[in-house]
Amino acid sequence: MPDRELAVTQRSQAQLVARRFRRHRLAVVSLAVLLALVLLAFVGGWLWKYSVVDLTSDESVPPSWDHPFGTDAAGHDTFAQVLRGTQISIGIAVLGALVATVVGTVWGATAGYYGGRLDTVMMRIADLVLTLPFLAVAAVLGHNVGGSWWLIAAVIAGLYWAYVARVARGVVLSLREKEFVEAARAIGAGDARIIFRHLVPNAFGSIIVNATVLVAIAILLETALSYLGFGVRPPDTSLGLLVSDAQTAVDTRPWLFFFPGLFIILIALTINFIGDGLRDALDPQQTRVRR
Amino acid sequence: MIPHPNGIPRPHGTQQPVLEVRNLVKHFPARGRGLARRRAGEVHAVCDVSFDLYPRETLGLVGESGCGKTTTARVLLNLQPATAGHVHYQGTELTQLSRKAMQRLRRELQIVFQDPYAALDPRLPVNEIIAEPLRIHGLYDSSGRADVRELLGLVGLRPEHGNRYPHEFSGGQRQRIGIARALALRPKVLVLDEPVSALDVSIQAGVLNLLADLQAQLGLSYLFVSHDLSVVRHIADRIAVMYLGRIVEIATSDELFSAPAHPYTQALISAIPLPDPRKERARERIILTGDVGNPADPPSGCRFRTRCPLFAEHLSDPQRHRCTTEIPALIDHTQTHRSACHHTELSRSPALSGLSVVTGDDLPRSARSTRGPEGR
Amino acid sequence: MTPVLEVADLRVEFRTDEGRVPAVRGVSFQLSRGEVLGIVGESGSGKSVTSLAMMGLLTGSSQVAGSVRLGDTELLGASDKELSRVRGQSIAMIFQDPMTSLNPVYPIGYQIVEAIRAHHDITRDAARSQAQRLLGVVSIPNPSERMNNYPHELSGGMRQRVVIAIAMANGPEVIIADEPTTALDVTVQAQILEALHTARVQTGAAMLLITHDLGVIAGQADRVLVMYAGRVVEAGTVEEIFYAPQMPYTLGLLGSQPRLDLRRQRLHPISGAPPSALHLPPGCPFAPRCPLAAPVCEADEPPLVATGTGGHLSACHFSDQLVGVAPGDLFRPISQDTPL
């Protein structure tokens, strides 16, 4: 395959997707806001004069030039705290969603492709995971494995892969009846080749959209866990933990509650809108040119 | 070669067939409606089908929807397991082959699908689609790119087409891509499953010409599955007509159209409108009553009897009794012409009006005397 | 003879993401009492859009212009109320998929009775016996039992007969049949064509028969319109169209058709593919595929004009060169996709 030529045509298909995505204004705005937030959290947090552990002499001051988001009772700069919290929350969400998506896709595609008894067994296992009370299990696991952000990501992935598997299986079930799958079999393709070269790429649209929804769900789940005290532990922090710590200060020092809350809402909302935009942009029904 | 119980006509003298199909049977479990989806009997899609395919010949397999022609094609390629029967390809019994062994044989037996929109993976560029069989069989080497380019040229496409995606092509071009993929492994037998049914007439003609050229050039044997008798007449050397899972008539193309022996074949031919106003309006048509029977519960005896005009109007009760109780076997009319009707002497008799009209003189005479659609 | 239906300069445009798509570009014709007018064309030629636009059945992003007159009534721009009065009573429609016209939750007898009573003030019993008679006319066996069947209990051919019975119910002046047999097997197609013929003879209706099948046109139509890229490119009697076509596209279609009645011969395909309505070439839309194409064809789109004899119209700059020409004289028996 001539790489240069392939690159050209692939870009042209990506361009089609990009063009349709750009038409979804809310998604474009959301993408810009999310990118700004990520940039702010990861670059801004590094540049900002206070770090998450710094204790300043200003205690419980409202937002000012020196402390844009104010400070808490111990003198922590809330801006620095929120930036660090955003880093952790996004990290957990993205890693959790990624692992859940990969595991779920392979699981669901395999079950859907082979069908029959294997499908039944695999999907009953997934159903079992789906019936677990998410928050309770996550709380127990989070409590026992404790603290570190990637373990929380793993807990989230461990609970949500089954959800992805259901989606992937559904898509593969409809795809495997397509003639191009039979055509692949007719030229002698093995099962692995059919699954990973033909079925999964064609299910990619649905899967990526689900992944964005998962990221949003994971942000909220992490928030809930940390709020309940089973997530990230001090001195490190996350958006959920910040909200949790500030719950008693809602009336007296609203900035402690307001800013992390705003960030949670912004991240979850923008990711959902981006997911909507992606779904429309990747929809093959819209790819079809009228002839 | 394996013997056939009735002996199969040998249109090619002593030549050995490339593919021998014997008593092929395929049943599907029929499931009831509703939540339980209990097994509710079996759909008899293919029943006791036997035929030979000779080198460099085109055998047309025709019939209406649900007659089992497509299932026959898939079963003989082992894309679906046979319920019973044999498929011999050059001394190898395909129905018993392991998956691995079958995958090796797929180099020799290839298929082109009906729907060019569905049969190509929309996410792969055309070069990759055509290269895939080569890669799977470890044949894609340093000359791989050149091979793909040659295949594109072979099916009448240009090399630069290879970098595009299937959705950028018209239906006819997509079907050419499907043909190129099937030819990549240099097969000997090509099963064509309704290859032009999804195409407009002006496009379909180019693909039919291409198939004829490829056969002459590469020495291929075609099994051409189609519901369109005009297309099959155009391309096939011999034709097998199927009805509800059984072959009811098999003959050379000329014999089938000049002297169809089975009442179903006669009705089928008479039902096809001719694109020629004067001839079309001068014809008398056999209008069959009713619909094709249910393959899950086929009529006893002769499966066509429920729609057969001969059965309905011209048979005595004892004759009818035979139709309802006894499955008609394929019997010889000539070396190359066989049909499965208990009362062929009646169905072929020109004295019976209604049946003789299309079969008698009309078609062969017009075939001799006219040259083109202008037909003046 | 006064036409029952008169279509003048019908134009349909769709608005899509890619731009405006002109699907029908100025179609005009008249349908006389009792006549069968065939419209033949390949996919994307605009033949089906024409029929939908006439009946006000296009929705959403389409713009329709021109005039469609049924007797003294202008249908384009008519109110929904007026259109529903016309549909079913004066004009009946039969589509490729009978389920478009049948309601899956009611027995077919009920649906025919409702169709009759929507336009006639008669008792349910009278309507019922008429419905039974109509089912008999379209050769449905045991009409009285079939009346209680639901659409899903019938085969495709039976359903299409029910649709034809409904179409006949109110003695329409015009029956529009859009690919009525395309989804059916040939032996069933023969039955349906027969039923359509009976329906037409019994009601005296004129028929607009839209199909891609040249054989169906040859057997059924009195006059024929050939459509290509949203326009009528040739119009004439069925004999003129089949025996003396004056437009290269028509000739090419005839040369591409494998024939049941002729011994195996080389086909003469038309090279290339129809243009996308989104990117029509500037001149004649057939020019890129036409063996006769000259510079004038790429510059000017030829109008549909009389070719000398009677009502035979053709849209070709060189139609006079086609007299007595066979497809094989003009088109080459190629197998490539495009001429190399």
Side-chain angles (χ1 to χ4, degrees):
Chain A
M1 171 93 320
D3 291 330
R4 191 179 51 80
E5 292 171 20
L6 182 61
V8 169
T9 48
Q10 275 179 341
R11 195 179 65 209
S12 81
Q13 224 198 11
Q15 276 171 343
L16 269 175
V17 173
R19 205 170 85 196
R20 283 196 303 269
F21 184 79
R22 278 201 297 276
R23 217 173 289 132
H24 206 290
R25 197 167 299 164
L26 204 53
V28 175
V29 172
S30 295
L31 185 64
V33 171
L34 185 67
L35 282 179
L37 281 177
V38 169
L39 217 66
L40 184 68
F42 285 88
V43 180
W46 183 59
L47 292 175
W48 183 240
K49 55 192 170 188
Y50 302 113
S51 89
V52 70
V53 288
D54 285 346
L55 289 175
T56 68
S57 51
D58 305 319
E59 288 159 15
S60 296
V61 298
S64 65
W65 282 117
D66 195 37
H67 302 288
F69 289 1
T71 62
D72 65 10
H76 291 113
D77 178 61
T78 310
F79 187 58
Q81 298 262 321
V82 168
L83 293 187
R84 174 63 184 164
T86 306
Q87 286 178 17
I88 292 292
S89 290
I90 288 182
I92 289 174
V94 168
L95 186 70
L98 196 72
V99 173
T101 300
V102 171
V103 173
T105 300
V106 173
W107 190 277
T110 307
Y113 175 71
Y114 286 103
R117 197 160 294 168
L118 183 70
D119 179 37
T120 311
V121 171
M122 287 179 83
M123 291 326 286
R124 283 304 84 78
I125 293 172
D127 287 345
L128 200 70
V129 173
L130 282 177
T131 56
L132 294 175
F134 273 13
L135 217 49
V137 176
V140 170
L141 288 174
H143 185 68
N144 289 319
V145 298
S148 110
W149 69 273
W150 55 270
L151 275 171
I152 296 169
V155 168
I156 291 174
L159 288 172
Y160 273 96
W161 67 267
Y163 166 74
V164 180
R166 285 205 78 84
V167 173
R169 172 179 175 268
V171 180
V172 165
L173 268 185
S174 69
L175 281 175
R176 74 166 188 180
E177 301 301 325
K178 291 264 163 87
E179 269 187 339
F180 70 80
V181 173
E182 196 169 19
R185 211 169 292 139
I187 54 176
D191 293 339
R193 189 179 185 96
I194 290 174
I195 293 176
F196 291 108
R197 188 159 166 87
H198 296 290
L199 293 177
V200 170
N202 277 286
F204 196 66
S206 323
I207 289 169
I208 199 147
V209 171
N210 266 288
T212 61
V213 175
L214 265 195
V215 172
I217 289 177
I219 290 263
L220 298 176
L221 192 63
E222 181 278 321
T223 303
L225 281 179
S226 297
Y227 179 85
L228 295 172
F230 306 120
V232 174
R233 291 177 191 171
D236 213 341
T237 192
S238 75
L239 292 177
L241 195 59
L242 286 172
V243 170
S244 156
D245 287 348
Q247 58 182 321
T248 53
V250 176
D251 296 331
T252 51
R253 287 158 293 166
W255 59 87
L256 290 183
F257 185 81
F258 177 77
F259 288 106
L262 179 72
F263 270 56
I264 290 171
I265 292 171
L266 274 181
I267 294 170
L269 216 54
T270 51
I271 290 177
N272 268 324
F273 285 137
I274 292 168
D276 275 357
L278 272 180
R279 184 185 56 219
D280 291 351
L282 288 168
D283 185 355
Q285 238 61 52
Q286 303 203 354
T287 321
R288 196 154 294 150
V289 183
R290 268 174 193 278
R291 291 192 188 278
Chain B
M1 188 177 316
I2 43 172
H4 182 262
N6 302 315
I8 286 272
R10 300 249 172 270
H12 297 250
T14 55
Q15 210 176 6
Q16 296 281 318
V18 275
L19 200 65
E20 294 163 275
V21 178
R22 291 293 175 274
N23 311 103
L24 199 64
V25 177
K26 175 68 184 176
H27 292 175
F28 292 106
R31 301 204 178 270
R33 285 167 191 268
L35 276 176
R37 292 188 18 109
R38 235 174 268 120
R39 216 175 143 112
E42 296 204 302
V43 175
H44 299 234
V46 178
C47 279
D48 198 20
V49 162
S50 303
F51 58 83
D52 286 338
L53 182 65
Y54 290 90
R56 295 175 171 263
E57 86 160 338
T58 300
L59 175 65
L61 198 56
V62 301
E64 298 179 282
S65 44
C67 74
K69 56 190 189 300
T70 291
T71 308
T72 303
R74 310 228 157 166
V75 170
L76 74 84
L77 286 181
N78 237 340
L79 289 172
Q80 286 169 0
T83 307
H86 306 277
V87 179
H88 266 253
Y89 170 76
Q90 299 197 327
T92 314
E93 174 59 49
L94 298 189
T95 52
Q96 309 297 331
L97 276 190
S98 72
R99 253 183 98 126
K100 260 234 137 55
M102 188 61 217
Q103 270 178 359
R104 272 196 302 278
L105 259 183
R106 295 211 180 281
R107 286 176 62 172
E108 323 236 324
L109 301 151
Q110 274 298 315
I111 178 167
V112 174
F113 292 91
Q114 169 176 8
D115 184 355
Y117 294 80
L120 305 176
D121 187 338
R123 303 269 165 163
L124 292 179
V126 167
N127 275 337
E128 271 309 301
I129 289 174
I130 298 175
E132 191 171 22
L134 297 171
R135 291 186 195 278
I136 289 171
H137 293 269
L139 301 169
Y140 193 89
D141 49 25
S142 53
S143 69
R145 278 182 60 192
D147 292 343
V148 169
R149 188 166 299 183
E150 194 193 322
L151 283 161
L152 280 169
L154 196 64
V155 297
L157 293 172
R158 290 194 290 264
E160 63 265 28
H161 284 140
N163 294 316
R164 301 200 206 145
Y165 286 81
H167 74 263
E168 298 174 63
F169 291 90
S170 67
Q173 289 171 318
R174 281 183 237 212
Q175 198 53 289
R176 288 165 189 270
I177 297 165
I179 293 170
R181 171 176 58 190
L183 292 178
L185 298 170
R186 312 255 162 229
K188 297 209 172 60
V189 174
L190 203 54
V191 173
L192 301 151
D193 184 10
E194 302 264 15
V196 296
S197 302
L199 307 178
D200 276 322
V201 189
S202 72
I203 308 287
Q204 148 184 321
V207 175
L208 288 173
N209 283 352
L210 172 70
L211 288 172
D213 290 352
L214 290 172
Q215 184 169 42
Q217 200 178 333
L218 306 173
L220 296 164
S221 303
Y222 288 161
L223 180 68
F224 193 100
V225 178
S226 177
H227 71 279
D228 188 334
L229 266 185
S230 310
V231 168
V232 172
R233 162 133 177 105
H234 177 77
I235 198 157
D237 303 306
R238 290 190 304 134
I239 298 174
V241 180
M242 288 186 75
Y243 185 82
L244 268 181
R246 290 183 184 279
I247 291 183
V248 296
E249 185 159 4
I250 181 163
T252 64
S253 185
D254 284 341
E255 280 173 320
L256 192 87
F257 284 95
S258 60
H262 196 282
Y264 176 64
T265 314
Q266 294 167 349
L268 198 59
I269 292 174
S270 99
I272 292 164
L274 301 175
D276 183 322
R278 285 178 206 151
K279 279 193 208 166
E280 173 66 9
R281 282 158 210 237
R283 290 169 93 197
E284 276 184 58
R285 191 149 269 156
I286 304 167
I287 308 269
L288 293 180
T289 52
D291 297 296
V292 180
N294 179 3
D297 182 21
S300 65
C302 172
R303 292 185 171 189
F304 183 59
R305 70 180 159 84
T306 51
R307 299 175 80 197
C308 181
L310 195 64
F311 182 87
E313 286 159 32
H314 301 283
L315 296 186
S316 64
D317 282 342
Q319 286 174 316
R320 285 193 184 137
H321 181 72
R322 193 165 172 219
C323 296
T324 46
T325 53
E326 194 181 321
I327 297 171
L330 278 168
I331 48 168
D332 291 350
H333 302 296
T334 69
Q335 267 282 299
T336 52
H337 188 175
R338 336 178 71 214
S339 76
C341 175
H342 290 309
H343 306 288
T344 312
E345 70 296 341
L346 282 175
S347 68
R348 300 189 83 187
S349 133
L352 281 181
S353 62
L355 291 185
S356 59
V357 178
V358 274
T359 64
D361 297 337
D362 191 32
L363 284 170
R365 188 166 56 211
S366 58
R368 277 193 296 273
S369 62
T370 50
R371 180 178 76 79
E374 74 283 358
R376 260 161 289 184
Chain C
M1 196 170 186
T2 53
V4 281
L5 186 74
E6 196 168 359
V7 173
D9 201 30
L10 186 70
R11 289 168 188 277
V12 182
E13 268 194 355
F14 292 103
R15 274 188 223 164
T16 70
D17 295 342
E18 325 279 327
R20 284 161 173 268
V21 178
V24 178
R25 304 182 298 129
V27 165
S28 305
F29 61 85
Q30 299 185 339
L31 187 62
S32 306
R33 206 163 290 283
E35 141 181 89
V36 180
L37 178 64
I39 301 187
V40 66
E42 297 180 286
S43 33
S45 63
K47 57 188 192 304
S48 285
V49 177
T50 300
S51 76
L52 293 174
M54 284 165 53
M55 297 302 295
L57 292 175
L58 287 176
T59 47
S61 57
S62 61
Q63 275 189 322
V64 183
S67 157
V68 178
R69 295 188 73 81
L70 178 79
D72 297 326
T73 321
E74 173 63 49
L75 298 185
L76 282 195
S79 66
D80 278 353
K81 200 174 158 195
E82 200 160 355
L83 274 179
S84 8
R85 195 181 55 77
V86 169
R87 282 186 219 137
Q89 186 170 25
S90 308
I91 301 185
M93 295 205 68
I94 298 164
F95 296 100
Q96 175 176 337
D97 178 5
M99 288 312 281
T100 344
S101 326
L102 296 176
N103 188 332
V105 302
Y106 294 114
I108 57 164
Y110 176 83
Q111 298 189 47
I112 306 175
V113 167
E114 285 305 297
I116 296 170
R117 280 166 52 95
H119 300 284
H120 290 280
D121 191 19
I122 59 171
T123 65
R124 190 163 286 277
D125 279 346
R128 243 192 116 69
S129 66
Q130 188 165 352
Q132 247 177 60
R133 189 186 62 83
L134 287 171
L135 287 180
V137 169
V138 295
S139 309
I140 288 188
N142 310 326
S144 56
E145 290 165 36
R146 288 292 179 188
M147 293 277 283
N148 301 318
N149 282 156
Y150 288 86
H152 73 261
E153 297 174 298
L154 303 176
S155 68
M158 285 290 174
R159 283 182 208 150
Q160 197 62 296
R161 287 176 214 232
V162 173
V163 174
I164 295 173
I166 292 176
M168 291 173 69
N170 292 297
E173 292 173 72
V174 176
I175 297 173
I176 299 179
D178 188 353
E179 303 271 11
T181 59
T182 302
L184 305 171
D185 282 320
V186 274
T187 57
V188 180
Q189 164 172 287
Q191 298 167 349
I192 296 300
L193 290 176
E194 188 86 351
L196 267 179
H197 182 79
T198 313
R200 211 166 49 73
V201 171
Q202 291 222 348
T203 59
M207 183 157 81
L208 196 60
L209 177 63
I210 297 159
T211 177
H212 68 283
D213 189 326
L214 290 168
V216 170
I217 290 282
Q220 309 293 319
D222 301 315
R223 284 193 305 130
V224 183
L225 306 178
V226 181
M227 284 191 72
Y228 188 78
R231 279 187 72 202
V232 175
V233 294
E234 183 163 9
T237 64
V238 68
E239 299 234 336
E240 285 167 342
I241 297 291
F242 280 84
Y243 300 130
Q246 297 289 293
M247 164 75 198
Y249 174 63
T250 313
L251 197 67
L253 271 187
L254 292 169
S256 308
Q257 177 85 41
R259 299 278 298 254
L260 195 65
D261 52 340
L262 300 178
R263 213 168 273 267
R264 209 162 158 174
Q265 52 170 10
R266 190 77 173 169
L267 298 173
H268 296 90
I270 308 174
S271 64
S276 144
L278 203 58
H279 308 286
L280 286 176
C284 172
F286 188 62
R289 305 174 73 188
C290 183
L292 283 182
V296 62
C297 302
E298 276 144 41
D300 298 322
E301 182 160 11
L304 185 68
V305 292
T307 58
T309 55
H312 195 171
L313 312 176
S314 147
C316 177
H317 292 299
F318 301 107
S319 58
D320 52 336
Q321 291 184 16
L322 292 173
V323 178
V325 169
D329 303 338
L330 198 58
F331 291 91
R332 291 185 306 126
I334 51 162
S335 64
Q336 290 94 8
D337 176 51
T338 43
L340 295 175

